[in-house]
Amino acid sequence: RAEARRARVGGGTRGGARVPVVVRASGDTEDTLSALDRLVPGARREAEARAPPPAAEDGETPAGSLEAEARPRAIVREVTVELEPPDNVAVASFEVASASTRVVQSVIAPPLGIAFEESAAGEIVVAEIVPGSNAERAGAGSVAVGDVLRACSAMIPEMKYGVGGLMLGGNGRPGFRRVLFVAPAGDDFNTGVSFDQTMAALISNAKAGNFEVNLVVERRSASSS
């Protein structure tokens, strides 16, 4: 496996309704704000859940068999993130390591002062909290070393129109829409690409105007990590 990637998001400290959107990573490799607007809502898992199970090939265990049913079921947690309440609220769900896993939400102003690292398991992990940073001041109950990043707020470029502007054919002005970016993990993780996309999503909050960052992390017990 290639050497793990690592990036620090921020180091020092610094003192109309919108449509709620949840986005998941695509295959794009651009590390720019414009690349984020190519990300589409992640309905793939929901579609897969509705599709009939594929027929088992020779040597495979058929879905629904006793052996298949005996396998441990995935533990899924659903989170509701208030990006800009009350109008912009996002809901996302993802598999966690065990029933003892905690899902922790926090809101931190940029620069964060967090170093993230790509793990061998295909996850993005908090590797360091910079001393004196906004992340450290948020407290241990916010983000801690070893946490797995599962989602974060991101800013997607879009055109803004005033009331009646579209009907009258008026020109819009560039703006941003706040969304929830779900960090790829496990089978959805593309080495290198997924890490860069997630870092671009995190940094977009500062690039769009130093917006506070919503973070959703998975905190595992020692026995499940």
Side-chain angles (χ1 to χ4, degrees), residues 9 12 16 27 43 75 82 122 156 177 220 224:
V9 181
I75 300 171
E82 296 184 345
I156 290 182
R177 179 157 50 100
R220 299 166 180 170
S224 62

Side-chain angles (χ1 to χ4, degrees), residues 5-124:
R5 299 169 65 85
R6 180 179 173 126
R8 177 180 292 180
V9 181
T13 57
R14 180 175 181 170
R18 297 182 178 179
V19 180
V21 175
V22 177
V23 297
R24 296 180 187 271
S26 69
D28 293 324
T29 58
E30 301 168 82
D31 187 16
T32 62
L33 281 179
S34 60
L36 289 176
D37 65 3
R38 295 178 176 81
L39 303 178
V40 297
R44 181 170 64 83
R45 295 194 181 200
E46 289 79 358
E48 290 176 350
R50 292 192 297 269
E57 298 180 1
D58 292 341
E60 291 186 348
T61 302
S65 68
L66 292 178
E67 182 179 344
E69 292 176 358
R71 294 172 184 164
R73 294 186 177 182
I75 300 171
V76 178
R77 296 282 173 82
E78 182 178 274
V79 294
T80 299
V81 181
E82 296 184 345
L83 297 170
E84 290 170 310
D87 303 306
N88 193 354
V89 178
V91 178
S93 60
F94 42 79
E95 294 181 10
V96 296
S98 71
S100 62
T101 291
R102 291 178 56 203
V103 175
V104 180
Q105 292 191 47
S106 59
V107 181
I108 304 175
L112 302 181
I114 303 174
F116 294 95
E117 192 169 79
E118 178 183 286
S119 75
E123 296 172 325
I124 297 175

Side-chain angles (χ1 to χ4, degrees), residues 36 60 68 83 92 99 106 120 123 133-134 137 140 158 171 207 223:
L36 289 176
E60 291 186 348
L83 297 170
S106 59
E123 296 172 325
S133 66
N134 290 332
R137 280 206 282 266
E158 71 171 7
N171 294 326
K207 284 187 175 181
S223 59

